[in-house]
Amino acid sequence: MVHFTAEEKAVITGLWGKVNVEETGGEAVGRLLVVYPWTQRFFDSFGNMSSPSAIMGNPKVKAHGKKVLTSFGDAVKNMDNLKGTFAKLSELHCDKLHVDPENFRLLGNMIVIILASHFGREFTPEVQAAWQKLVAGVATALAHKYH
Amino acid sequence: MLSAQERVHIAQVWDLIAGHEAPFGAELLLRLFTAYPSTKTYFRHLGDSPDQARLLSHGRRLLEAVGVAVQHVDNLRAALSPLADLHAHVLCVDPTNFPLLIQCFQVVLASHLQGEFTVEMQAAWDKFLMGVAVVLTEKYR
């Protein structure tokens, strides 16, 4: 069970309050699909993904990004119970979506990079460390119900 | 196996880093040690809580090596051979650590370049740095 200190929680919620969920989510999923093209395997129905600009501008990619990052908001509110919070989603990703959990780690890292680009100097090493811990915790929680 | 476009992005970003190897490297190492404390086991000579002077000095060496890689993008194996020997026979850094360093490298780039850090730059640098990591661990066994 991952444990967050009071400082880590403050740092995470502090930044989260300033995040544009829709924009950040769309960018994170878009960049995932560009930088790691094999992740496109899960999104056959998304339409045009023939170039970086096609992917970044794709409305289905943006919509999916918003959905994913909104769900991340649940993680921020429930840092002490990530496994419980994501139990149902974990079952879904295993049983219905058949997503290799490695993809959760890749997306988590991508979210951290996007946050760094948005927040610049404010995204200090300590802020990064807290967020890396959170995204790793979410990835583990999402993999927890795999069988 | 970098495309012509990817090489342009590698060079573009390197132009921004060149001349600032020490501060870039220091921030890179600080982020690595803060987010992934287990990586400090490979840098014990820097001390338990490395000070800025040590981070700058070692950071510069690291980034200068990246600079060598940038200049020899078509021939990484030959250009990085001494470093590959060092990592294989002396440092023995577990290969799983390289992606952690690469993640921190991307975060330094993103936090400094912000809106200028395009997805194409990120993709090219991710591919390039993974290629460097592969070469550095190739002689392990």
Side-chain angles (χ1 to χ4, degrees):
Chain A
M1 195 72 220
V2 67
H3 171 77
F4 293 87
T5 65
E7 290 85 1
E8 285 167 339
K9 287 184 184 179
V11 149
I12 288 166
T13 50
L15 205 81
W16 185 252
K18 304 187 240 182
V19 168
N20 179 326
V21 168
E22 180 164 358
E23 216 181 271
T24 302
E27 236 192 295
V29 171
R31 287 198 180 220
L32 180 78
L33 297 170
V34 172
V35 178
Y36 308 114
W38 57 92
T39 58
Q40 292 172 27
R41 73 190 296 278
F42 302 109
F43 303 106
D44 278 337
S45 64
F46 273 25
N48 186 8
M49 295 207 283
S50 57
S51 70
S53 50
I55 292 171
M56 300 308 290
N58 184 311
K60 287 190 173 175
V61 169
K62 291 183 182 189
H64 193 72
K66 180 182 178 183
K67 198 178 189 180
V68 166
L69 213 69
T70 301
S71 176
F72 232 87
D74 289 339
V76 174
K77 293 195 204 83
N78 296 283
M79 283 184 257
D80 290 326
N81 183 22
L82 293 175
K83 289 205 167 101
T85 303
F86 288 98
K88 284 252 133 52
L89 271 177
S90 180
E91 284 168 8
L92 177 77
H93 281 78
C94 171
D95 299 330
K96 297 264 150 55
L97 305 177
H98 310 293
V99 177
D100 176 352
E102 179 57 26
N103 291 280
F104 309 143
R105 283 163 214 120
L106 291 179
L107 182 59
N109 277 343
M110 201 54 82
I111 290 170
V112 168
I113 291 170
I114 306 293
L115 292 177
S117 73
H118 286 186
F119 292 101
R121 305 209 93 83
E122 201 183 326
F123 202 70
T124 63
E126 289 72 26
V127 174
Q128 178 189 352
W131 274 89
Q132 295 286 175
K133 198 166 165 181
L134 179 65
V135 303
V138 171
T140 302
L142 279 171
H144 188 63
K145 291 286 191 177
Y146 273 59
H147 59 97
Chain B
M1 292 136 303
L2 289 171
S3 71
Q5 259 308 350
E6 285 165 343
R7 283 149 202 268
V8 167
H9 294 306
I10 302 294
Q12 243 172 358
V13 171
W14 183 253
D15 271 346
L16 300 168
I17 298 174
H20 308 283
E21 288 86 343
F24 191 106
E27 188 182 333
L28 172 62
L29 287 173
L30 183 60
R31 285 185 183 276
L32 183 70
F33 298 155
T34 310
Y36 308 109
S38 59
T39 58
K40 290 196 284 186
T41 55
Y42 294 105
F43 297 92
R44 296 186 59 212
H45 59 289
L46 296 182
D48 225 26
S49 286
D51 61 25
Q52 191 60 3
R54 292 210 183 141
L55 289 176
L56 283 166
S57 160
H58 200 83
R60 183 167 46 82
R61 287 172 64 186
L62 220 165
L63 263 287
E64 281 173 352
V66 173
V68 169
V70 169
Q71 301 314 323
H72 297 93
V73 115
D74 285 319
N75 198 5
L76 288 180
R77 226 161 245 136
L80 299 178
S81 183
L83 270 178
D85 287 332
L86 182 72
H87 282 76
H89 307 307
V90 179
L91 304 178
C92 306
V93 174
D94 193 283
T96 54
N97 289 282
F98 290 93
L100 304 181
L101 184 64
I102 294 170
Q103 169 69 3
C104 291
F105 200 105
Q106 298 281 29
V107 169
V108 178
L109 285 178
S111 68
H112 285 257
L113 299 180
Q114 294 200 258
E116 314 272 286
F117 188 51
T118 65
V119 61
E120 290 88 349
M121 286 175 179
Q122 184 184 343
W125 271 83
D126 203 89
K127 188 171 165 181
F128 168 62
L129 290 173
M130 276 309 296
V132 170
V134 163
V135 167
L136 290 179
T137 56
E138 230 164 24
K139 302 186 189 182
Y140 273 27
R141 52 180 167 172

